[in-house]
Amino acid sequence: MQPESDSLDPAIFRTRDVRQLLAMYRRQLQYWAETNLVRPSIRTQGEHHRYTFEDIIALKGAKRLIDAGVSVQRIRSSIQAVREILPEVAWRSQE
């Protein structure tokens, strides 16, 4: 499935794309952003959420952990720790 991404950067995903990739409701994504569980890395000038590949990985992990019964507080602190530990990686292939 090819995501419909922003015209400027194909590595940025719209909420609609993330919902389809992860089988999540829009309201669930909004709630997780509001409660700082997993926030989208980018907001457009129109205040629309945009997700990076790293955000999608965090969302997928959080969803699986919640389904397994792990507390939201523990997931939140784990995601934050991973983001602090791992260096930022460029995901684009070199041409």
Side-chain angles (χ1 to χ4, degrees):
M1 174 186 333
Q2 178 96 15
E4 182 184 322
S5 56
D6 282 354
S7 59
L8 297 178
D9 191 346
I12 304 302
F13 301 84
R14 297 173 185 252
T15 299
R16 172 182 39 208
D17 303 321
V18 175
R19 287 181 47 230
Q20 290 175 345
L21 287 168
L22 302 178
M24 295 177 71
Y25 293 106
R26 182 180 60 84
R27 182 64 193 126
Q28 187 175 20
L29 291 170
Q30 288 174 333
Y31 179 74
W32 286 7
E34 290 167 4
T35 60
N36 291 322
L37 181 59
V38 180
R39 298 187 67 161
S41 294
I42 302 166
R43 281 190 172 241
T44 66
Q45 289 180 344
E47 294 297 311
H48 298 283
H49 292 169
R50 296 295 184 260
Y51 296 86
T52 62
F53 180 76
E54 292 86 354
D55 296 335
I56 292 172
I57 297 301
L59 287 165
K60 178 71 172 180
K63 183 178 182 206
R64 293 185 83 187
L65 291 169
I66 286 172
D67 291 346
V70 178
S71 75
V72 172
Q73 292 82 6
R74 185 172 223 172
I75 296 168
R76 183 178 292 116
S77 64
S78 297
I79 290 172
Q80 182 62 36
V82 168
R83 286 186 180 212
E84 290 174 4
I85 292 170
L86 294 177
E88 194 168 318
V89 178
W91 293 97
R92 296 183 189 104
S93 62
Q94 296 181 357
E95 296 179 24

